[in-house]
Amino acid sequence: MRGWDMRSDVLFSYVNCEARVPKDHPLRAILRIVDEALAALSAEFEGLYAKFGRPSIPPERLLRALLLQAFYSVRSEKQLMEQLQYNLLFRWFVGLSLDDEIWDETVFTKNRERLIEGDIAKKFMAAVLNQEAVKVLLSDDHFSVDGTLIEAWASMKSFRPKDGSGEPPAPGRNGGRNFHGEKRSNETHASTTDPDARLYRKGPGQPARLAYLGHVLMENPACSSGRHTSELGHRDGGARGGTGDGGELPGPSPDHARGRQGLRCGRVCRRSAGAQGDAACGSEHHQSALGDRRSDDPPSRLCGQWAAAQAH
């Protein structure tokens, strides 16, 4: 018998969000790890909030929402709030019921800034890495350190001499400025809108930009920590254990000290992640990964990487 397409707006729902999420969904395992880490940070949260006033967004729910924004590449807080409005999976992961009101994106952003100022992101990452369920996923044999440039929002026209000299920009909303013949360096100049930004370039012949240094420590093949700095020197200077606000990148745990011996004496281990992975997996993994390819499939980009890694 044919069913009829009739809309029925029921008043009550007897199925909660927990029952609608599949038992084998990947977010279930992630939620268990996240909840354990958040429970360990409860004392840290107490120190960030006043003892009186109106209740704010629970920091646990705010961090879970930020994780969803990273997992599903949600472009803005406004779109994240929109997803929380009708996405049952998002509501379940954050800890919202079907009747809970969604926050305003401006309020969400202001509460997020409080956690950033309290350096909660770094502590949350450390709490996750200290769990036994996560330690077994990290390798203490191979690691690599990567350095990159994170471009600042400051304009090059804001990079002015620290002593106040120099020709000011032309009048107007976006007035031009002539840098011809002017020698600029991080020792003598600074941005008036973002003083922490530094002038860097990726290599010879590349344009110089105001940027930060990004450092990522990876336990191959899992990323275990990351930070950004603005110190002078090499792009991986913070990872080299040099001076400044970079320091040495934190490892996953004291148990993994053996895998980080390449950082001693200010030396960065620059082994190829592909070469280490191939040496650990062997030729059987290579054959199984390519065994299902059809004859009319395009050549895989990994074939050249495997060959180069083995030759290296």
Side-chain angles (χ1 to χ4, degrees), residues 200-267:
Y200 293 113
R201 62 179 181 178
K202 290 187 175 182
Q206 298 293 324
R209 295 184 176 91
L210 290 174
Y212 289 86
L213 300 179
H215 312 292
V216 179
L217 171 64
M218 289 169 287
E219 295 280 344
N220 299 345
C223 175
S224 60
S225 66
R227 67 182 304 172
H228 76 274
T229 65
S230 57
E231 66 176 40
L232 301 176
H234 298 281
R235 284 185 294 160
D236 54 358
R240 292 171 182 260
T243 58
D245 59 354
E248 185 177 346
L249 284 177
S253 69
D255 299 334
H256 298 143
R258 291 184 294 108
R260 302 178 58 211
Q261 294 177 355
L263 288 180
R264 293 183 302 175
C265 303
R267 181 171 56 88

Side-chain angles (χ1 to χ4, degrees), residues 1 12 61 65-66 96 102 118 128 148 152 170 190 202 215 276-277 279 284 292 305 309:
M1 176 180 177
F12 300 101
R61 294 183 176 181
L66 290 176
L96 300 171
I102 303 302
V128 170
T148 185
K202 290 187 175 182
H215 312 292
Q276 298 297 337
E284 295 180 358
D292 297 334
Q305 296 179 10

Side-chain angles (χ1 to χ4, degrees), residues 20-305:
R20 296 181 184 274
V21 179
K23 298 297 182 182
D24 58 346
H25 197 281
L27 284 181
R28 284 190 177 273
I30 297 176
L31 183 61
R32 289 192 295 267
I33 296 175
V34 168
D35 286 345
E36 184 176 345
L38 292 176
L41 294 176
S42 181
E44 300 287 343
F45 295 145
E46 288 290 340
L48 296 177
Y49 294 87
K51 303 300 181 182
F52 57 90
R54 294 184 300 173
S56 64
I57 299 177
E60 295 85 356
R61 294 183 176 181
L62 194 149
L63 284 173
R64 294 194 199 101
L66 290 176
L67 286 177
L68 289 175
Q69 186 176 12
F71 291 158
Y72 292 91
S73 301
V74 183
R75 294 192 299 270
S76 63
E77 285 77 9
K78 184 176 182 180
Q79 289 189 353
L80 180 61
M81 297 304 106
E82 181 182 346
Q83 288 286 337
L84 288 174
Q85 187 68 39
Y86 56 76
N87 194 322
L88 297 182
L89 179 65
F90 278 32
R91 279 181 173 265
W92 166 80
F93 188 85
V94 173
L96 300 171
S97 67
L98 293 175
D99 298 326
D100 286 337
E101 186 177 356
I102 303 302
W103 316 294
D104 182 79
E105 57 267 16
T106 304
V107 177
F108 182 85
T109 304
K110 290 182 177 180
N111 281 263
R112 181 193 60 190
E113 294 298 327
R114 179 184 289 113
L115 298 183
I116 294 177
E117 293 175 359
D119 206 11
I120 292 297
K122 180 179 178 181
K123 298 174 183 177
F124 175 73
M125 188 69 176
V128 170
L129 294 175
N130 286 331
Q131 299 183 30
E132 294 298 330
V134 179
K135 288 181 180 180
V136 298
L137 302 177
L138 299 177
S139 169
D140 59 353
D141 296 328
H142 311 299
F143 71 97
S144 54
V145 179
D146 180 38
T148 185
L149 290 181
I150 304 175
E151 189 169 355
W153 285 354
S155 171
M156 289 297 296
K157 288 182 287 189
S158 68
F159 199 61
R160 304 289 303 281
K162 296 180 180 179
D163 57 5
S165 61
E167 183 181 346
R173 183 173 179 270
N174 192 21
R177 185 168 182 267
N178 185 13
F179 299 106
H180 183 71
E182 180 180 349
K183 183 178 180 180
R184 296 175 295 168
S185 66
N186 292 311
E187 288 78 10
T188 59
H189 290 60
S191 173
T192 57
T193 56
D194 191 355
D196 293 331
R198 296 292 183 268
L199 192 65
Y200 293 113
R201 62 179 181 178
K202 290 187 175 182
Q206 298 293 324
R209 295 184 176 91
L210 290 174
Y212 289 86
L213 300 179
H215 312 292
V216 179
L217 171 64
M218 289 169 287
E219 295 280 344
N220 299 345
C223 175
S224 60
S225 66
R227 67 182 304 172
H228 76 274
T229 65
S230 57
E231 66 176 40
L232 301 176
H234 298 281
R235 284 185 294 160
D236 54 358
R240 292 171 182 260
T243 58
D245 59 354
E248 185 177 346
L249 284 177
S253 69
D255 299 334
H256 298 143
R258 291 184 294 108
R260 302 178 58 211
Q261 294 177 355
L263 288 180
R264 293 183 302 175
C265 303
R267 181 171 56 88
V268 177
C269 176
R270 297 191 177 275
R271 305 171 191 169
S272 169
Q276 298 297 337
D278 294 336
C281 298
S283 58
E284 295 180 358
H285 175 77
H286 172 58
Q287 294 296 334
S288 61
L290 298 181
D292 297 334
R293 296 180 65 250
R294 300 179 303 179
S295 59
D296 56 341
D297 284 341
S300 173
R301 293 187 298 114
L302 296 179
C303 296
Q305 296 179 10

